[in-house]
Amino acid sequence: MSVQTPVEQATIPPEIDSVPSTPFDADSFNQAVMSTYSRYPLALERGAGCRVWDTQGREYLDFVAGIATCTLGHAHPAMVEAVTRQIQKLHHVSNLYYIPEQGELAKWLIQHSCGDRAFFCNSGAEANEAAIKLARKYAHTVLKIDQPIILTAHASFHGRTLATVTATGQSKYQKYFDPLVPGFHYVEYNNIAEVEAAVSELDEGDYGVAAILIEPLQGEGGVRPGDIAYFQRLREICDETGILLIFDEVQVGMGRSGKLWGYEHLGVEPDIFTSAKGLGGGIPIGAMISKKFCDVFQPGEHASTFGGNPFVCGVALSVCQTLEKEQILPNVEARGEQLRRGLNAIALKYPQHIAEVRGWGLINGMELTADTQLTAAQVVKAAVDEGLLLVPAGPKVVRFVPPLIVTEAEVKIALQAVEKALATVTA
């Protein structure tokens, strides 16, 4: 894992590389920080490109990327320059004033998508909250629905706030947090009959379906791509009824699928879509983008103190521009194909343990068989021991979401590490 090309070596700033590691005390950390995560026993302190180093100086190939967030990897020169420039210029002011950087980022997103207007916040959950609020106001003021219902899918994931965790179709995230927010109904993903039945059955009295909130590819739900025919029928249903079609592009958007937006794989356009994670390349930012006809917000109806401030927008704009300038999307497609080919070759060697490999671009899942006693967490732990960082997507799916700048050589190294990890856990 320590082999680097001259170019990759050059991305590691010598002054950072030479700083001694600070002794890390996990016990004192756990005493001070709430236990909301099951953390792996390593503390990461620096990164460069697709590699990170822990406090002991050990190197890892990062195929987690902050969970599909570090679009340009770590310490990318474009982001370093943008962060430095913007923090020296202006980092935060209120949205009571015009923020030029926010306007420029909004223009870029609109020019490169089907949207017309953008609202900025701090995360994917907040972006989805904004979409839920916009859909509800649209339902009341345009569709004249007194009790609007939003359809979401089983196995979906939309965030951790009360509204978005209710929208999330996984009971494990909702346990102990009831009473949940009313106004949501779940349907099976890629099952159009359930959607049609729900639209018909829920249209009664003061109730009615106002929107369908759905992921083009389910990430946390096991890296499950949407079916083209299903999504095209969703679009038809929404056109026929006036229901808003909302896509959660938080994980799959910003080039991760090999196209800028996940909806481009499905041949349909949403009325509203959300973005976060990869949008800022690791700087916290979220966005809700809508078409003009459903932009019904008025001043004072929604807001965010930090949302869209000069700092985050300046850095996010540099990420967007770098995706274009460095022509990164073709690399995403090529490396994704390489990764899936390699994983499928490994799957042939472990048919009793690996059921399927699937995904788009550089969001891919390796699903373990129902019969195997192996769990995704076990494979991930074994991969860490081989110097490769991975992340589960449920109990039986291992997720691969490296930075979009990952190289052919790095994918080869990752595949070798996966094979070694599987050999260990199946021995």
Side-chain angles (χ1 to χ4, degrees), residues 162 171-180:
L162 272 177
S171 59
K172 67 179 181 181
Y173 293 113
Q174 300 169 346
K175 188 177 181 181
Y176 301 128
F177 300 120
D178 51 330
L180 298 173

Side-chain angles (χ1 to χ4, degrees), residues 68-72 79 105-106 108-109 118-121 123 127 249-251 253-255 260-261 274-289 312-321 323:
T69 296
C70 299
T71 304
L72 304 179
M79 287 191 68
L105 178 59
W108 192 96
L109 290 170
F119 169 83
F120 294 103
C121 49
S123 68
E249 294 257 6
V250 168
Q251 187 162 168
M254 281 304 294
L260 192 58
W261 307 111
T274 57
S275 180
K277 286 189 179 289
L279 177 59
I283 302 299
I285 185 172
M288 175 191 66
I289 298 101
V312 296
C313 287
V315 179
L317 183 60
S318 76
V319 173
C320 295
Q321 293 171 336
L323 281 176

Side-chain angles (χ1 to χ4, degrees), residues 153-166:
H154 289 295
S156 61
F157 184 86
H158 299 294
R160 301 278 190 163
T161 64
L162 272 177
T164 57
V165 82
T166 306

